[in-house]
Every structure is written in C-alpha cells, then in structure tokens.
C-alpha cells in the first residue's frame, strides 16, 4: 500500500529528484558545506548539556531510520492527510524522541549552506557525536545520503524488532539486513545509554510467554524486585528507567549487567542465553576496547543500508519539499 504512494510521488517528482544508491564517502560535504559536521556536533553538545538523554534518543533514530527502507530520514517525516508515517508505528509511538534536536541541527546547517545537507546524513553525524559525547568511541562517518519522498508506518511496524524478541529472531532479522551476529551484539551495546518505559518490561514481569501473572524465570531476584516497584502491574507504563546501570555513560556496563541477569529488555537478556550471541557478550564484558571497535564497525554497516529509491535534500526534516 505504501509503495503506491511512492510510485505516485516518483512520477510527479522525477524531474526534481536525483536517483538514490549514492556512493557514500567520508568528507562528502568538505567542499559544499565544510562546517556541516562541526555545526551538528555543536548542536548535539548543547542538547546533551540540557538533557544527556538526548544523545541516546538521537542515536536510536539511526537504527529506526536505517531498518526501514534504508537510512533516508523517513523516520523524521510527520504524518500528512494522505500518508501515515513512521512516528506512530508500534516501536516508535510514545517512545522515539528528540526530533526537535534534529530540527535544530538541520536549521543550523541550513543557515550556513541551504539545501545541501540531507536530514538522513544529519542523523548519522548526530548519532556518532552522541556516542563520543557520552564517553564512547568516535569515527569518520560516510555521507551523501538523500532524504526519502515518503514514509510508511507499516514498514516500521514490520522492520523494527520488539524488545520482547529472542536472540534467534534477532540474528535472523539482522542477517536479513546483511548484519552479522557480531553486529547484533555490538549494536545492542547502544543500550549502554538511554532509558526505556515500563511498557517494555511489564510483559516480562507479569505476562511472560503470554501466561498472565507469570514472570520471566531468569531475572536476578533483586533486580526483579526493583523493577516491580518502579513498574507495578497496571501502573503508569510511561515511567522510564535506565537500560543499564550507567545510562549516561557509553561503556561496557551493559554487558556486565547481562551477565548478572540484570538486562532490562528481553531482547537484551536473551543475548546472554543464546550460546552464539553469548560469546560476544562475554568478550565485550571483559574488553571495552573490543566492544568500541565492533560497535563502530556495526554503526558504519548500519549506516550503509540504502533503499535505492529516489530522494532529495529536504528543507525541513518533517516534510517532503513542495514541488
Ligand atoms: C537489537 C535489536 C533492538 C531492539 C529489540 C531494541 C529495542 C529497544 C526498546 C524496546 C527500547 C525502549 C523503548 C521504550 O520503552 O520506550 C530501546 C531503546 C533504545 N534503543 Fe534499542 N533496540 C535494538 C537495537 C538498537 C540499536 C541497533 C540501537 C542504536 C544503534 C538502539 C538504540 C537504543 C537507544 C539509545 C535506546 C534508548 C533511547 C532513549 O533513551 O530515548 N537500539 N530499544
Ligand atoms: C503514555 O504515553 C502515551 C503516548 O505518549 C499517552 O497516549 C498516554 O496517555 C500516556 N499514559 C499515561 C498514563 O500518562
Ligand atoms: C524466538 O522467537 C520466535 C519468533 O517470535 C519464535 O518463533 C521462536 O520459537 C522463539 N525461539 C525460542 C528459542 O524461544
Ligand atoms: C544484502 O546484500 C545483498 C548482496 O549484496 C543485496 O542484494 C541485498 O539487497 C542486501 N540486503 C539489504 C537489506 O540491504
Ligand atoms: C497477556 O498476554 C495475552 C496474550 O498476548 C494477552 O491477551 C493479555 O491481555 C495479556 N495480559 C496482560 C495482563 O497484559
């Protein structure tokens, strides 16, 4: 259904859009907008000083953008009367946040180089900066993406895995995107920063395997007590808590927590249960530098996902340009 909208847009906009599958490269804007990357970084610094969680929230946008028809800024489009975008999909609604930080970065970049830098690339730069500014590694990002002409709520529902997923399901979905088991475990280490809602853990506490009243049998008992207190049955599911014990530092604490059975999401804890993924959990819990190295590789591969569809440089990340 969503693809029909795309075909229409494609026919109407053919003259003004450049075809996608652009080769990406570091320093793509070094001639056309040499201050693009530093400008985005300054906006991220300010946003994270105001609220450190903005780093995690913006980094997560890269995942939810790239897993839905490639890294094309589709996640940033607001719904229109004729298009249900991705913001209200099940994985995103009431959860994905800090869109205003991307708006701010886009406005700052438009001011110095109007119409040059894509929203899709701004997500990629900002995600890199978020990790570095949280104490994690830094890296050169490949740039040159175009922004999508449409977005699709259903593609987001289908493409972004739920926190109730198990490791074998996650291995398969990552494989579909040409990402390895190493990428899966290293990229899950992004949960070293940021917060999640009770909504994402109550099925594990009170309805495991869809059995009312049953908890996930694997929890560390003390951690489970803490979660039950913060997230009581029939309580406010919007209450948030850290995804690991140090939610403002990008470090390997997340993997240590998984080994102590103090993982928040089912999708996290299951990485320590499945023998194939557990190997990497053990490795990263002992070797933070190796985690950083593999995480960077994973982010680059995640950022390489492209749809091959036509695109543009949006003026406003929330709406397709008027044609
Ligand atoms: C491996 C599969 C993954 C699953 C199943 C998953 C699932 C989730 C869930 C359920 C939440 C909490 C949502 C809420 O309760 O509001 C979350 C938060 C988060 N995810 Fe993931 N995620 C995955 C991979 C990733 C990847 C690859 C990244 C980044 C590259 C990422 C970055 C984040 C961040 C930073 C947060 C916290 C955001 C905030 O504080 O606003 N996740 N994830
Ligand atoms: C939780 O958040 C959702 C989505 O943002 C909202 O519709 C709902 O009213 C909130 N629930 C409570 C109890 O605040
Ligand atoms: C993992 O999840 C998939 C999809 O939900 C399910 O079919 C499968 O049985 C689960 N595997 C295990 C080992 O629980
Ligand atoms: C994975 O790689 C294959 C072979 O290069 C390619 O045909 C396919 O489109 C890729 N899949 C995704 C989701 O990018
Ligand atoms: C538990 O899971 C079942 C099956 O998905 C669902 O019908 C039921 O409403 C859930 N109960 C609670 C308390 O969430």
């Amino acid at each position: 259904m969503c693809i029909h909208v795309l075909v229409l847009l494609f026919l109407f906009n053919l003259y003004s859009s450049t075809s996608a599958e652009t080769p990406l490269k570091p320093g793509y804007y070094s001639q056309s907008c040499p201050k693009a990357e530093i400008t985005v970084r300054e906006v991220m610094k300010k946003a994270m000083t105001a609220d450190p969680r903005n780093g995690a929230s913006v980094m997560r946008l890269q995942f939810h953008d790239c897993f839905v028809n490639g890294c094309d800024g589709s996640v940033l489009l607001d719904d229109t009367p004729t298009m249900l975008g991705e913001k209200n999909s099940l994985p995103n609604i009431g959860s994905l946040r800090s869109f205003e930080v991307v708006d701010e970065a886009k406005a700052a970049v438009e001011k110095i180089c109007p119409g040059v830098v894509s929203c899709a690339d701004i997500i990629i730069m900002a995600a890199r900066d978020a990790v570095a500014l949280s104490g994690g590694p830094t890296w050169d990002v490949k740039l040159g993406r175009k922004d999508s002409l449409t977005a699709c709520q259903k593609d987001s529902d289908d493409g972004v895995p739920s926190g109730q997923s198990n490791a074998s399901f996650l291995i398969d979905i990552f494989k579909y995107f040409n990402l390895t088991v190493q990428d899966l475990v290293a990229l899950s280490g992004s949960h070293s920063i940021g917060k999640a809602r009770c909504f994402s853990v109550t099925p594990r506490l009170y309805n495991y395997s869809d059995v009312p009243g049953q908890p996930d049998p694997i929890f560390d008992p003390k951690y489970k007590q803490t979660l039950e207190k913060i997230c009581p049955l029939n309580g406010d599911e919007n209450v948030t808590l850290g995804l690991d014990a140090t939610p403002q530092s990008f470090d390997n604490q997340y993997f240590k927590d998984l080994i102590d059975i103090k993982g928040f999401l089912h999708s996290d804890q299951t990485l320590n249960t499945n023998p194939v993924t557990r190997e990497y959990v053990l490795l990263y819990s002992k070797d933070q530098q190796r985690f950083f190295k593999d995480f960077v590789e994973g982010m680059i591969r995640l950022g390489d996902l492209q749809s091959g569809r036509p695109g543009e440089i949006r003026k406003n990340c929330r709406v397709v340009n008027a044609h």
Side-chain angles (χ1 to χ4, degrees), residues 74-96:
S74 59
V75 72
L76 303 175
L77 288 175
D78 286 338
D79 286 359
T80 72
T82 56
M83 185 196 75
L84 284 181
E86 296 163 23
K87 287 183 176 175
N88 292 318
S89 71
L90 193 60
N92 293 349
I93 191 168
S95 180
L96 219 54

mmCIF file with all atom_site columns, all heavy atoms in Angstrom, residues 74-96:
data_model
loop_
_atom_site.group_PDB
_atom_site.id
_atom_site.type_symbol
_atom_site.label_atom_id
_atom_site.label_alt_id
_atom_site.label_comp_id
_atom_site.label_asym_id
_atom_site.label_entity_id
_atom_site.label_seq_id
_atom_site.pdbx_PDB_ins_code
_atom_site.Cartn_x
_atom_site.Cartn_y
_atom_site.Cartn_z
_atom_site.occupancy
_atom_site.B_iso_or_equiv
_atom_site.pdbx_formal_charge
_atom_site.auth_seq_id
_atom_site.auth_comp_id
_atom_site.auth_asym_id
_atom_site.auth_atom_id
_atom_site.pdbx_PDB_model_num
ATOM 1   N N   . SER A 1 74 ? 13.406 8.860  6.590  1.00 0.00 ? 74 SER A N   1
ATOM 2   C CA  . SER A 1 74 ? 11.951 8.623  6.539  1.00 0.00 ? 74 SER A CA  1
ATOM 3   C C   . SER A 1 74 ? 11.334 8.697  7.932  1.00 0.00 ? 74 SER A C   1
ATOM 4   O O   . SER A 1 74 ? 10.190 9.125  8.090  1.00 0.00 ? 74 SER A O   1
ATOM 5   C CB  . SER A 1 74 ? 11.641 7.275  5.888  1.00 0.00 ? 74 SER A CB  1
ATOM 6   O OG  . SER A 1 74 ? 12.251 6.219  6.602  1.00 0.00 ? 74 SER A OG  1
ATOM 7   N N   . VAL A 1 75 ? 12.112 8.337  8.958  1.00 0.00 ? 75 VAL A N   1
ATOM 8   C CA  . VAL A 1 75 ? 11.596 8.319  10.330 1.00 0.00 ? 75 VAL A CA  1
ATOM 9   C C   . VAL A 1 75 ? 11.244 9.730  10.815 1.00 0.00 ? 75 VAL A C   1
ATOM 10  O O   . VAL A 1 75 ? 10.468 9.893  11.759 1.00 0.00 ? 75 VAL A O   1
ATOM 11  C CB  . VAL A 1 75 ? 12.635 7.644  11.267 1.00 0.00 ? 75 VAL A CB  1
ATOM 12  C CG1 . VAL A 1 75 ? 13.852 8.544  11.500 1.00 0.00 ? 75 VAL A CG1 1
ATOM 13  C CG2 . VAL A 1 75 ? 12.009 7.236  12.589 1.00 0.00 ? 75 VAL A CG2 1
ATOM 14  N N   . LEU A 1 76 ? 11.787 10.741 10.129 1.00 0.00 ? 76 LEU A N   1
ATOM 15  C CA  . LEU A 1 76 ? 11.584 12.124 10.591 1.00 0.00 ? 76 LEU A CA  1
ATOM 16  C C   . LEU A 1 76 ? 10.320 12.763 10.041 1.00 0.00 ? 76 LEU A C   1
ATOM 17  O O   . LEU A 1 76 ? 9.908  13.835 10.501 1.00 0.00 ? 76 LEU A O   1
ATOM 18  C CB  . LEU A 1 76 ? 12.793 12.993 10.178 1.00 0.00 ? 76 LEU A CB  1
ATOM 19  C CG  . LEU A 1 76 ? 14.170 12.520 10.665 1.00 0.00 ? 76 LEU A CG  1
ATOM 20  C CD1 . LEU A 1 76 ? 15.266 13.404 10.074 1.00 0.00 ? 76 LEU A CD1 1
ATOM 21  C CD2 . LEU A 1 76 ? 14.232 12.550 12.196 1.00 0.00 ? 76 LEU A CD2 1
ATOM 22  N N   . LEU A 1 77 ? 9.698  12.138 9.029  1.00 0.00 ? 77 LEU A N   1
ATOM 23  C CA  . LEU A 1 77 ? 8.534  12.750 8.381  1.00 0.00 ? 77 LEU A CA  1
ATOM 24  C C   . LEU A 1 77 ? 7.302  12.674 9.280  1.00 0.00 ? 77 LEU A C   1
ATOM 25  O O   . LEU A 1 77 ? 6.973  11.598 9.800  1.00 0.00 ? 77 LEU A O   1
ATOM 26  C CB  . LEU A 1 77 ? 8.231  12.057 7.050  1.00 0.00 ? 77 LEU A CB  1
ATOM 27  C CG  . LEU A 1 77 ? 9.201  12.321 5.892  1.00 0.00 ? 77 LEU A CG  1
ATOM 28  C CD1 . LEU A 1 77 ? 8.823  11.460 4.680  1.00 0.00 ? 77 LEU A CD1 1
ATOM 29  C CD2 . LEU A 1 77 ? 9.217  13.804 5.505  1.00 0.00 ? 77 LEU A CD2 1
ATOM 30  N N   . ASP A 1 78 ? 6.624  13.791 9.434  1.00 0.00 ? 78 ASP A N   1
ATOM 31  C CA  . ASP A 1 78 ? 5.352  13.807 10.152 1.00 0.00 ? 78 ASP A CA  1
ATOM 32  C C   . ASP A 1 78 ? 4.269  13.186 9.269  1.00 0.00 ? 78 ASP A C   1
ATOM 33  O O   . ASP A 1 78 ? 4.376  13.204 8.039  1.00 0.00 ? 78 ASP A O   1
ATOM 34  C CB  . ASP A 1 78 ? 4.949  15.258 10.479 1.00 0.00 ? 78 ASP A CB  1
ATOM 35  C CG  . ASP A 1 78 ? 5.795  15.856 11.603 1.00 0.00 ? 78 ASP A CG  1
ATOM 36  O OD1 . ASP A 1 78 ? 6.378  15.073 12.389 1.00 0.00 ? 78 ASP A OD1 1
ATOM 37  O OD2 . ASP A 1 78 ? 5.871  17.093 11.678 1.00 0.00 ? 78 ASP A OD2 1
ATOM 38  N N   . ASP A 1 79 ? 3.217  12.673 9.914  1.00 0.00 ? 79 ASP A N   1
ATOM 39  C CA  . ASP A 1 79 ? 2.052  12.187 9.163  1.00 0.00 ? 79 ASP A CA  1
ATOM 40  C C   . ASP A 1 79 ? 1.448  13.348 8.361  1.00 0.00 ? 79 ASP A C   1
ATOM 41  O O   . ASP A 1 79 ? 1.535  14.512 8.772  1.00 0.00 ? 79 ASP A O   1
ATOM 42  C CB  . ASP A 1 79 ? 0.972  11.671 10.131 1.00 0.00 ? 79 ASP A CB  1
ATOM 43  C CG  . ASP A 1 79 ? 1.334  10.333 10.750 1.00 0.00 ? 79 ASP A CG  1
ATOM 44  O OD1 . ASP A 1 79 ? 2.408  9.792  10.422 1.00 0.00 ? 79 ASP A OD1 1
ATOM 45  O OD2 . ASP A 1 79 ? 0.534  9.822  11.555 1.00 0.00 ? 79 ASP A OD2 1
ATOM 46  N N   . THR A 1 80 ? 0.825  13.023 7.231  1.00 0.00 ? 80 THR A N   1
ATOM 47  C CA  . THR A 1 80 ? 0.062  14.012 6.459  1.00 0.00 ? 80 THR A CA  1
ATOM 48  C C   . THR A 1 80 ? -1.334 13.423 6.252  1.00 0.00 ? 80 THR A C   1
ATOM 49  O O   . THR A 1 80 ? -1.553 12.235 6.536  1.00 0.00 ? 80 THR A O   1
ATOM 50  C CB  . THR A 1 80 ? 0.701  14.285 5.082  1.00 0.00 ? 80 THR A CB  1
ATOM 51  O OG1 . THR A 1 80 ? 0.480  13.143 4.234  1.00 0.00 ? 80 THR A OG1 1
ATOM 52  C CG2 . THR A 1 80 ? 2.190  14.572 5.184  1.00 0.00 ? 80 THR A CG2 1
ATOM 53  N N   . PRO A 1 81 ? -2.278 14.203 5.724  1.00 0.00 ? 81 PRO A N   1
ATOM 54  C CA  . PRO A 1 81 ? -3.609 13.638 5.479  1.00 0.00 ? 81 PRO A CA  1
ATOM 55  C C   . PRO A 1 81 ? -3.573 12.412 4.564  1.00 0.00 ? 81 PRO A C   1
ATOM 56  O O   . PRO A 1 81 ? -4.461 11.561 4.626  1.00 0.00 ? 81 PRO A O   1
ATOM 57  C CB  . PRO A 1 81 ? -4.365 14.795 4.822  1.00 0.00 ? 81 PRO A CB  1
ATOM 58  C CG  . PRO A 1 81 ? -3.692 16.016 5.337  1.00 0.00 ? 81 PRO A CG  1
ATOM 59  C CD  . PRO A 1 81 ? -2.234 15.651 5.495  1.00 0.00 ? 81 PRO A CD  1
ATOM 60  N N   . THR A 1 82 ? -2.544 12.292 3.723  1.00 0.00 ? 82 THR A N   1
ATOM 61  C CA  . THR A 1 82 ? -2.506 11.156 2.789  1.00 0.00 ? 82 THR A CA  1
ATOM 62  C C   . THR A 1 82 ? -1.395 10.159 3.099  1.00 0.00 ? 82 THR A C   1
ATOM 63  O O   . THR A 1 82 ? -1.194 9.210  2.354  1.00 0.00 ? 82 THR A O   1
ATOM 64  C CB  . THR A 1 82 ? -2.304 11.658 1.341  1.00 0.00 ? 82 THR A CB  1
ATOM 65  O OG1 . THR A 1 82 ? -1.112 12.453 1.301  1.00 0.00 ? 82 THR A OG1 1
ATOM 66  C CG2 . THR A 1 82 ? -3.483 12.479 0.872  1.00 0.00 ? 82 THR A CG2 1
ATOM 67  N N   . MET A 1 83 ? -0.642 10.369 4.170  1.00 0.00 ? 83 MET A N   1
ATOM 68  C CA  . MET A 1 83 ? 0.476  9.466  4.463  1.00 0.00 ? 83 MET A CA  1
ATOM 69  C C   . MET A 1 83 ? 0.605  9.208  5.957  1.00 0.00 ? 83 MET A C   1
ATOM 70  O O   . MET A 1 83 ? 0.796  10.139 6.748  1.00 0.00 ? 83 MET A O   1
ATOM 71  C CB  . MET A 1 83 ? 1.789  10.070 3.943  1.00 0.00 ? 83 MET A CB  1
ATOM 72  C CG  . MET A 1 83 ? 2.977  9.143  4.108  1.00 0.00 ? 83 MET A CG  1
ATOM 73  S SD  . MET A 1 83 ? 4.556  9.993  3.940  1.00 0.00 ? 83 MET A SD  1
ATOM 74  C CE  . MET A 1 83 ? 4.659  10.863 5.493  1.00 0.00 ? 83 MET A CE  1
ATOM 75  N N   . LEU A 1 84 ? 0.521  7.927  6.338  1.00 0.00 ? 84 LEU A N   1
ATOM 76  C CA  . LEU A 1 84 ? 0.813  7.547  7.715  1.00 0.00 ? 84 LEU A CA  1
ATOM 77  C C   . LEU A 1 84 ? 2.305  7.273  7.790  1.00 0.00 ? 84 LEU A C   1
ATOM 78  O O   . LEU A 1 84 ? 2.795  6.305  7.211  1.00 0.00 ? 84 LEU A O   1
ATOM 79  C CB  . LEU A 1 84 ? 0.043  6.284  8.111  1.00 0.00 ? 84 LEU A CB  1
ATOM 80  C CG  . LEU A 1 84 ? -1.450 6.432  8.412  1.00 0.00 ? 84 LEU A CG  1
ATOM 81  C CD1 . LEU A 1 84 ? -2.036 5.077  8.814  1.00 0.00 ? 84 LEU A CD1 1
ATOM 82  C CD2 . LEU A 1 84 ? -1.678 7.468  9.512  1.00 0.00 ? 84 LEU A CD2 1
ATOM 83  N N   . GLY A 1 85 ? 3.016  8.138  8.487  1.00 0.00 ? 85 GLY A N   1
ATOM 84  C CA  . GLY A 1 85 ? 4.466  7.983  8.580  1.00 0.00 ? 85 GLY A CA  1
ATOM 85  C C   . GLY A 1 85 ? 4.860  7.007  9.678  1.00 0.00 ? 85 GLY A C   1
ATOM 86  O O   . GLY A 1 85 ? 4.025  6.260  10.204 1.00 0.00 ? 85 GLY A O   1
ATOM 87  N N   . GLU A 1 86 ? 6.144  7.019  10.022 1.00 0.00 ? 86 GLU A N   1
ATOM 88  C CA  . GLU A 1 86 ? 6.696  6.022  10.940 1.00 0.00 ? 86 GLU A CA  1
ATOM 89  C C   . GLU A 1 86 ? 6.606  6.427  12.406 1.00 0.00 ? 86 GLU A C   1
ATOM 90  O O   . GLU A 1 86 ? 6.787  5.605  13.299 1.00 0.00 ? 86 GLU A O   1
ATOM 91  C CB  . GLU A 1 86 ? 8.151  5.742  10.551 1.00 0.00 ? 86 GLU A CB  1
ATOM 92  C CG  . GLU A 1 86 ? 8.255  5.122  9.162  1.00 0.00 ? 86 GLU A CG  1
ATOM 93  C CD  . GLU A 1 86 ? 9.650  5.193  8.553  1.00 0.00 ? 86 GLU A CD  1
ATOM 94  O OE1 . GLU A 1 86 ? 10.636 5.303  9.310  1.00 0.00 ? 86 GLU A OE1 1
ATOM 95  O OE2 . GLU A 1 86 ? 9.754  5.159  7.307  1.00 0.00 ? 86 GLU A OE2 1
ATOM 96  N N   . LYS A 1 87 ? 6.314  7.709  12.669 1.00 0.00 ? 87 LYS A N   1
ATOM 97  C CA  . LYS A 1 87 ? 6.370  8.187  14.059 1.00 0.00 ? 87 LYS A CA  1
ATOM 98  C C   . LYS A 1 87 ? 5.336  7.510  14.952 1.00 0.00 ? 87 LYS A C   1
ATOM 99  O O   . LYS A 1 87 ? 5.546  7.391  16.151 1.00 0.00 ? 87 LYS A O   1
ATOM 100 C CB  . LYS A 1 87 ? 6.198  9.703  14.097 1.00 0.00 ? 87 LYS A CB  1
ATOM 101 C CG  . LYS A 1 87 ? 7.433  10.433 13.590 1.00 0.00 ? 87 LYS A CG  1
ATOM 102 C CD  . LYS A 1 87 ? 7.314  11.939 13.695 1.00 0.00 ? 87 LYS A CD  1
ATOM 103 C CE  . LYS A 1 87 ? 8.613  12.603 13.254 1.00 0.00 ? 87 LYS A CE  1
ATOM 104 N NZ  . LYS A 1 87 ? 8.512  14.077 13.231 1.00 0.00 ? 87 LYS A NZ  1
ATOM 105 N N   . ASN A 1 88 ? 4.218  7.074  14.355 1.00 0.00 ? 88 ASN A N   1
ATOM 106 C CA  . ASN A 1 88 ? 3.169  6.435  15.155 1.00 0.00 ? 88 ASN A CA  1
ATOM 107 C C   . ASN A 1 88 ? 3.138  4.920  15.007 1.00 0.00 ? 88 ASN A C   1
ATOM 108 O O   . ASN A 1 88 ? 2.159  4.276  15.365 1.00 0.00 ? 88 ASN A O   1
ATOM 109 C CB  . ASN A 1 88 ? 1.810  7.040  14.824 1.00 0.00 ? 88 ASN A CB  1
ATOM 110 C CG  . ASN A 1 88 ? 1.718  8.487  15.308 1.00 0.00 ? 88 ASN A CG  1
ATOM 111 O OD1 . ASN A 1 88 ? 2.168  8.800  16.411 1.00 0.00 ? 88 ASN A OD1 1
ATOM 112 N ND2 . ASN A 1 88 ? 1.192  9.364  14.481 1.00 0.00 ? 88 ASN A ND2 1
ATOM 113 N N   . SER A 1 89 ? 4.196  4.328  14.510 1.00 0.00 ? 89 SER A N   1
ATOM 114 C CA  . SER A 1 89 ? 4.275  2.860  14.472 1.00 0.00 ? 89 SER A CA  1
ATOM 115 C C   . SER A 1 89 ? 4.441  2.337  15.902 1.00 0.00 ? 89 SER A C   1
ATOM 116 O O   . SER A 1 89 ? 4.825  3.100  16.803 1.00 0.00 ? 89 SER A O   1
ATOM 117 C CB  . SER A 1 89 ? 5.471  2.418  13.620 1.00 0.00 ? 89 SER A CB  1
ATOM 118 O OG  . SER A 1 89 ? 6.676  2.703  14.309 1.00 0.00 ? 89 SER A OG  1
ATOM 119 N N   . LEU A 1 90 ? 4.181  1.059  16.109 1.00 0.00 ? 90 LEU A N   1
ATOM 120 C CA  . LEU A 1 90 ? 4.251  0.492  17.462 1.00 0.00 ? 90 LEU A CA  1
ATOM 121 C C   . LEU A 1 90 ? 5.637  0.664  18.113 1.00 0.00 ? 90 LEU A C   1
ATOM 122 O O   . LEU A 1 90 ? 5.724  1.025  19.288 1.00 0.00 ? 90 LEU A O   1
ATOM 123 C CB  . LEU A 1 90 ? 3.825  -0.981 17.452 1.00 0.00 ? 90 LEU A CB  1
ATOM 124 C CG  . LEU A 1 90 ? 3.578  -1.557 18.843 1.00 0.00 ? 90 LEU A CG  1
ATOM 125 C CD1 . LEU A 1 90 ? 2.475  -0.792 19.586 1.00 0.00 ? 90 LEU A CD1 1
ATOM 126 C CD2 . LEU A 1 90 ? 3.233  -3.035 18.773 1.00 0.00 ? 90 LEU A CD2 1
ATOM 127 N N   . PRO A 1 91 ? 6.741  0.414  17.384 1.00 0.00 ? 91 PRO A N   1
ATOM 128 C CA  . PRO A 1 91 ? 8.041  0.592  18.046 1.00 0.00 ? 91 PRO A CA  1
ATOM 129 C C   . PRO A 1 91 ? 8.357  2.057  18.376 1.00 0.00 ? 91 PRO A C   1
ATOM 130 O O   . PRO A 1 91 ? 9.200  2.321  19.228 1.00 0.00 ? 91 PRO A O   1
ATOM 131 C CB  . PRO A 1 91 ? 9.066  0.069  17.019 1.00 0.00 ? 91 PRO A CB  1
ATOM 132 C CG  . PRO A 1 91 ? 8.280  -0.574 15.938 1.00 0.00 ? 91 PRO A CG  1
ATOM 133 C CD  . PRO A 1 91 ? 6.879  -0.103 16.013 1.00 0.00 ? 91 PRO A CD  1
ATOM 134 N N   . ASN A 1 92 ? 7.676  2.999  17.689 1.00 0.00 ? 92 ASN A N   1
ATOM 135 C CA  . ASN A 1 92 ? 8.061  4.409  17.815 1.00 0.00 ? 92 ASN A CA  1
ATOM 136 C C   . ASN A 1 92 ? 7.145  5.259  18.684 1.00 0.00 ? 92 ASN A C   1
ATOM 137 O O   . ASN A 1 92 ? 7.608  6.188  19.355 1.00 0.00 ? 92 ASN A O   1
ATOM 138 C CB  . ASN A 1 92 ? 8.140  5.043  16.421 1.00 0.00 ? 92 ASN A CB  1
ATOM 139 C CG  . ASN A 1 92 ? 9.265  4.470  15.582 1.00 0.00 ? 92 ASN A CG  1
ATOM 140 O OD1 . ASN A 1 92 ? 10.119 3.745  16.112 1.00 0.00 ? 92 ASN A OD1 1
ATOM 141 N ND2 . ASN A 1 92 ? 9.275  4.767  14.300 1.00 0.00 ? 92 ASN A ND2 1
ATOM 142 N N   . ILE A 1 93 ? 5.859  4.960  18.687 1.00 0.00 ? 93 ILE A N   1
ATOM 143 C CA  . ILE A 1 93 ? 4.883  5.853  19.345 1.00 0.00 ? 93 ILE A CA  1
ATOM 144 C C   . ILE A 1 93 ? 5.123  5.937  20.855 1.00 0.00 ? 93 ILE A C   1
ATOM 145 O O   . ILE A 1 93 ? 5.341  4.927  21.516 1.00 0.00 ? 93 ILE A O   1
ATOM 146 C CB  . ILE A 1 93 ? 3.431  5.428  19.014 1.00 0.00 ? 93 ILE A CB  1
ATOM 147 C CG1 . ILE A 1 93 ? 2.455  6.515  19.466 1.00 0.00 ? 93 ILE A CG1 1
ATOM 148 C CG2 . ILE A 1 93 ? 3.087  4.072  19.604 1.00 0.00 ? 93 ILE A CG2 1
ATOM 149 C CD1 . ILE A 1 93 ? 1.042  6.329  18.928 1.00 0.00 ? 93 ILE A CD1 1
ATOM 150 N N   . GLY A 1 94 ? 5.148  7.169  21.343 1.00 0.00 ? 94 GLY A N   1
ATOM 151 C CA  . GLY A 1 94 ? 5.364  7.390  22.774 1.00 0.00 ? 94 GLY A CA  1
ATOM 152 C C   . GLY A 1 94 ? 6.760  7.022  23.232 1.00 0.00 ? 94 GLY A C   1
ATOM 153 O O   . GLY A 1 94 ? 7.024  6.946  24.426 1.00 0.00 ? 94 GLY A O   1
ATOM 154 N N   . SER A 1 95 ? 7.674  6.774  22.282 1.00 0.00 ? 95 SER A N   1
ATOM 155 C CA  . SER A 1 95 ? 8.983  6.248  22.640 1.00 0.00 ? 95 SER A CA  1
ATOM 156 C C   . SER A 1 95 ? 10.115 6.988  21.920 1.00 0.00 ? 95 SER A C   1
ATOM 157 O O   . SER A 1 95 ? 11.043 7.479  22.558 1.00 0.00 ? 95 SER A O   1
ATOM 158 C CB  . SER A 1 95 ? 9.013  4.754  22.296 1.00 0.00 ? 95 SER A CB  1
ATOM 159 O OG  . SER A 1 95 ? 10.250 4.194  22.613 1.00 0.00 ? 95 SER A OG  1
ATOM 160 N N   . LEU A 1 96 ? 10.042 7.042  20.603 1.00 0.00 ? 96 LEU A N   1
ATOM 161 C CA  . LEU A 1 96 ? 11.084 7.746  19.847 1.00 0.00 ? 96 LEU A CA  1
ATOM 162 C C   . LEU A 1 96 ? 10.985 9.237  20.168 1.00 0.00 ? 96 LEU A C   1
ATOM 163 O O   . LEU A 1 96 ? 9.883  9.793  20.210 1.00 0.00 ? 96 LEU A O   1
ATOM 164 C CB  . LEU A 1 96 ? 10.868 7.501  18.347 1.00 0.00 ? 96 LEU A CB  1
ATOM 165 C CG  . LEU A 1 96 ? 12.109 7.280  17.492 1.00 0.00 ? 96 LEU A CG  1
ATOM 166 C CD1 . LEU A 1 96 ? 12.968 6.159  18.042 1.00 0.00 ? 96 LEU A CD1 1
ATOM 167 C CD2 . LEU A 1 96 ? 11.701 6.974  16.058 1.00 0.00 ? 96 LEU A CD2 1
#
